[in-house]
Structure formats: structure tokens, C-alpha cells
Amino acid sequence: MRDFSNDLSSLALNTATLGHNLDGYGAGWSTEQVIDACAERGFGGIVFWRRELANNAISIGERVRASGMQVVGLCRAPFLVGPLVDAGGARAVHDELLRAIDLAAALQAPVLTIVAGGVEPGSKGIVESLSVLADRVAAAVPHATDCKVKLALEPLHPVYAGDRSCLVTLRDALDICDRIDSTQVGVAIDVYHVWWDTTLQAQLERAGSSRILGYHLCDWLANTSDILLDRGMMGDGVAHLVNLRQWVEDAGYSGFCEIEIFSANNWWQRSPNEVLDQCVERFKSVC
Ligand code: ZN
């Protein structure tokens, strides 16, 4: 297992950790400020959200690399199934997914994260929705291959199954990978969503190094007050972070550890400098 006590080269910031993903939160730092603050602290990489990039993806990617970091990924594809899919149906979903892939390519991000979306309107249970999801991901694989962007299916905690993600276990994510059978498609492992899963270690072994495309850090607060916007800083909750990383690395993963904390009433209320300092401290000591 890698020793991070004095090595930040594998540490990445998901910019949502500074509150940038919802209007009205965060300190309003520009993307450039975020890049510079991460670089100053020795972060190895950074992950952006589509809304931050506008028409600046190429120059933002260049600024990250010039500062000595890597663009680790792009958050995220549009919802592909379920009630939160934008109007326009399957065709519009497909087109928007391709545009997200294009944006990742412009940024030179190697991975685009896919949050599935929930249960298809008019259907019950998750099986049918998972099948539609698999078809829609598969349809984007040729374009993703051309763009050299890998697609990372991120299972979310089951509490989101209805609206945000019918994909709730690593098992089902890997079943979709098997079905699509492309080296372009893999999974993202997020502590927040999988910490409770007693089958996780076996499924990580099944995934192997080639399919684990990302590892996301935060913590699950035992007394969480909001399932979307009350994620914990690493060490403040009940996830066994050391075990989880051990399993991910035992499976062959040696990539970035991306801190991704949505915390409307705590961390997003603090100065970004304080949040970044805490990220570094906790990464060194408890992850
Ligand atoms: Zn995540």
C-alpha cells in the first residue's frame, strides 16, 4: 500500500469540494485560483465539473499542466436514464454525452465520470433501467475511443436509486462493463457510495486494475443530515478508509485519490484555503 504521509503526488482535488458545483456556495474562487492554490500545496491533480469550463477547456487544461499537475478527470456525463434526464429523449441524451466526451478531450482529461440517473419513467425496479443505461453507454464507446477518453461508471449509494442512480453496486457496474466489453469502459470507486458494501473487496478483485478508473475520497458521517450535501471530511466519519484503499490497491489501482466533498453547511462555509489545508492534512494522516 502506498505511503502518503509525505507524498502528495497522488492527491487530486475535485473542485466541488470548494463548493463550486452549486450556485450560492463556496467562496467564488475562479478556476485559475483553484488551480494555483492546489499547485502551491503540491496536489498532483485536479478534477473539474463541466459547468466550470465554458469555452475554456483547452486553456484550463494547459494551465493545470503548466503548474505541474494533471487533469485527472471530468465530472460528469449527463444523466443517461431516469426522471432527471433532460428533455429531448434518447437522441438528446446521446448527443449531450458525446459533447461531454468532447469537453473531456479538450481538457485532456483521461476519464469522464458517468452518474447513471435513476429509474426510467414508467418502469419499476432497476433492471430495465440498467439495461437502457448499458445500451446508452455502449453507443458512446466509439466516440470515446476516438477521443481517448475512458468512461467511468460510478455506482452511487442505494439511497439515490430512484432519481440519481439506478446503478448502486460495484457488482452491477462490472456487469455492465462485461456486457459492453470495451477497454474504454470501467468504474469509479467513491468511498461515500460503497463504504457499506461487504462484497466490495471481492468485486474490486473482479474489476482488476484495468477497470478501476478512479478512487474518490470523503467520509460518511454517522449522523449525516443530508444525503447529498453533508459528506464528511476524511477521518470524521465511519468509513474504513485505510481498508478501502488497501482493497483498491490490492486490485491493482495505482492512480489518483480524488477528494470529493459536498458539504453545504460545513466545509463549503469555510475558506477554500482552510479546506485545502485540511484535505492535505487528512490525506497524509487518515486515508
Ligand atoms: Zn465520486
Side-chain angles (χ1 to χ4, degrees):
M1 190 165 161
R2 293 175 288 177
D3 176 9
F4 293 147
S5 59
N6 203 20
D7 177 9
L8 301 183
S9 60
S10 297
L11 173 61
L13 179 80
N14 182 306
T15 58
T17 303
L18 302 183
H20 288 184
N21 67 328
L22 283 185
D23 293 337
Y25 293 101
W29 275 16
S30 68
T31 304
E32 290 75 13
Q33 275 177 290
V34 175
I35 294 168
D36 293 350
C38 287
E40 280 167 20
R41 288 170 173 79
F43 279 66
I46 194 160
V47 175
F48 295 102
W49 287 67
R50 279 193 290 157
R51 72 185 65 187
E52 295 169 295
L53 301 174
N55 297 315
N56 304 322
I58 292 172
S59 62
I60 288 173
E62 286 171 351
R63 188 181 182 106
V64 170
R65 287 181 290 279
S67 71
M69 298 188 295
Q70 295 179 39
V71 179
V72 174
L74 177 65
C75 262
R76 57 177 173 71
F79 290 120
L80 300 183
V81 292
L84 301 180
V85 165
D86 290 340
R91 183 75 227 176
V93 169
H94 178 72
D95 290 347
E96 198 185 348
L97 177 55
L98 296 196
R99 282 197 295 275
I101 292 168
D102 288 339
L103 198 57
L107 199 57
Q108 292 185 33
V111 173
L112 173 68
T113 302
I114 292 181
V115 173
V119 175
E120 279 283 90
S123 71
K124 305 281 188 185
I126 62 172
V127 173
E128 185 180 334
S129 300
L130 288 172
S131 183
V132 174
L133 170 68
D135 289 343
R136 291 184 178 171
V137 173
V141 165
H143 189 66
T145 305
D146 289 344
C147 292
K148 297 186 172 59
V149 173
K150 296 205 176 196
L151 305 176
L153 293 161
E154 181 169 345
L156 301 198
H157 191 284
V159 74
Y160 298 113
D163 59 353
R164 302 182 81 84
S165 180
C166 59
L167 185 64
V168 296
T169 60
L170 179 56
R171 176 199 64 209
D172 289 347
L174 292 172
D175 285 350
I176 291 177
C177 291
D178 286 345
R179 174 168 157 178
I180 296 173
D181 192 23
S182 164
T183 55
Q184 214 64 27
V185 180
V187 296
I189 309 298
D190 188 321
V191 164
Y192 192 76
H193 301 302
V194 302
W195 69 273
W196 55 272
D197 185 352
T198 53
T199 71
L200 187 69
Q201 185 179 16
Q203 292 297 325
L204 286 165
E205 285 175 17
R206 173 187 167 199
S209 60
S210 62
R211 279 184 172 165
I212 302 175
L213 302 179
Y215 178 57
H216 303 173
L217 283 171
C218 64
D219 212 333
W220 182 280
L221 299 174
N223 59 345
T224 186
S225 62
D226 185 314
I227 55 165
L228 188 62
L229 300 178
D230 188 32
R231 292 189 181 204
M233 177 63 74
M234 297 83 71
D236 289 347
V238 294
H240 200 320
L241 297 174
V242 173
N243 270 5
L244 291 168
R245 185 162 69 86
Q246 178 83 59
W247 296 343
V248 168
E249 295 193 4
D250 284 350
Y253 183 74
S254 58
F256 282 95
C257 301
E258 168 190 337
I259 296 178
E260 183 185 34
I261 300 174
F262 310 135
S263 175
N265 294 320
N266 185 355
W267 296 99
W268 289 358
Q269 300 294 328
R270 306 190 192 199
S271 112
N273 281 314
E274 180 191 352
V275 176
L276 291 173
D277 287 342
Q278 276 296 314
C279 286
V280 168
E281 192 51 44
R282 302 296 181 94
F283 180 71
K284 288 177 167 179
S285 59
V286 301
C287 295

